[in-house]
Amino acid sequence: MTTVRRATRPGRPSLRVERELQRAGHRVLAGMDEVGRGSPAGPVSVGVVVIDETCRTAPAGVRDSKLLTPAARVAMVPRLRRWALAHAVGHAGPAEIDEIGIIAALRLAGTRAPAQLDVVPDLVLLDGNHDWLTDPQEVGLFAGLGDGASTPPVRTMIKADMRCSSVAAASVPAKVERDQQMVELADVHPHYRWEDNKGYSASAHPDALRVHGPCVEHRRSWSLPGVPPVRGRSDAVGDDEGRPGEGHDLLAGTVSEGRSG
């Protein structure tokens, strides 16, 4: 796994990095991005968009999902589906996050997404500098000890969601699907106003937790306001396998949904 470091000048995503990788021999590329990692309720979701050299410039307006309005994201999804060679979204639920930890749950969602496709990418391009997709048992001294499933080579890149069209595109259907799930769950658990905050700490969510406590859709091993901590395996800032760290404080450290609607 290699991390690509590039300048972080503002601008719209392009296929420049993807074309460089294709010229280097990785003809079929998968851009992948996650949403919901910092939310104390609901799933963590991973989108994947696969392109090859026949996929021309991405649809106008493609951005990381956090930079698009909810309406723009929904309108963008069918355009991205027509553009990409293949696409999918995978999810890992709160019970799975509590059981195996947030990093392993990211990996689970990240393997469920491409498992839906009929094409295998030559390389996966991830945002950031940490390869959360590759199972540690596939590398180093642990290679060959896993269940036989193999992850394609992974290339990480800081700010890939801002610079690479495939990664930015992957975040959009992931965000749309996860938001829709949270809106549907709001009908079942109306106290938390998930139709507004999508499970993040913004809006009335923390107040409702103090009054009503958590429900089955909450990550109960996280530190939730007014809720006694549960000694579990999950932590938003734990180690690579999601073993507990200091707990995830909903008020002090959770990502707000204010920018992304």
Side-chain angles (χ1 to χ4, degrees):
M1 187 273 295
T2 304
T3 299
V4 180
R5 296 181 181 272
R6 295 191 179 269
T8 57
R9 296 176 301 181
R12 65 184 181 88
S14 73
L15 290 175
R16 186 168 65 88
V17 172
E18 288 92 332
R19 296 308 189 213
E20 290 176 1
L21 292 170
Q22 287 170 334
R23 286 193 291 271
H26 307 292
R27 188 181 68 84
V28 181
L29 290 175
M32 188 174 285
D33 203 9
E34 54 83 13
V35 298
R37 179 173 180 168
S39 171
V44 65
S45 304
V46 174
V48 60
V49 165
V50 180
I51 65 169
D52 63 9
E53 68 274 7
T54 68
C55 299
R56 301 306 180 189
T57 303
V62 168
R63 297 283 190 279
D64 175 51
S65 64
K66 295 186 294 296
L67 303 179
L68 297 173
T69 66
R73 286 193 294 264
V74 171
M76 182 67 66
V77 168
R79 299 168 61 197
L80 292 174
R81 289 173 175 168
R82 290 191 296 269
W83 168 68
L85 183 67
H87 54 84
V89 179
H91 308 276
E96 292 173 316
I97 294 170
D98 286 342
E99 175 66 23
I100 63 177
I102 187 64
I103 298 300
L106 272 171
R107 187 177 305 126
L108 182 60
T111 55
R112 284 171 173 168
Q116 303 171 48
L117 306 178
D118 57 4
V119 60
V120 177
D122 300 318
L123 185 76
V124 175
L125 187 57
L126 283 184
D127 177 48
N129 60 3
H130 176 223
D131 175 9
W132 45 259
L133 181 63
T134 304
D135 191 323
Q137 292 187 336
E138 292 184 20
V139 297
L141 295 175
F142 300 104
L145 299 180
D147 59 6
S150 180
T151 303
V154 170
R155 187 74 55 92
T156 63
M157 179 177 171
I158 296 170
K159 298 295 183 182
D161 56 347
M162 305 292 289
R163 299 183 59 85
C164 301
S165 292
S166 63
V167 179
S171 72
V172 176
K175 177 67 173 160
V176 169
E177 281 200 21
R178 186 185 184 279
D179 280 1
Q180 183 58 42
Q181 288 187 23
M182 297 310 296
V183 170
E184 292 170 359
L185 287 170
D187 291 337
V188 183
H189 307 282
H191 301 304
Y192 309 108
R193 299 293 303 275
W194 288 336
E195 69 274 19
D196 296 327
N197 57 60
K198 309 305 186 294
Y200 288 82
S201 62
S203 186
H205 193 182
D207 291 340
L209 267 169
R210 292 189 181 93
V211 174
H212 302 284
C215 72
V216 68
E217 301 299 336
H218 282 98
R219 303 172 187 180
R220 293 178 178 234
S221 58
W222 289 24
S223 179
L224 306 174
V227 180
V230 176
R231 297 300 179 186
R233 289 197 40 159
S234 178
D235 182 73
V237 292
D239 65 17
D240 186 57
E241 286 306 292
R243 285 178 282 269
E246 295 300 319
H248 194 81
D249 191 323
L250 179 63
L251 295 181
T254 302
V255 177
S256 171
E257 192 59 350
R259 288 189 302 158
S260 50

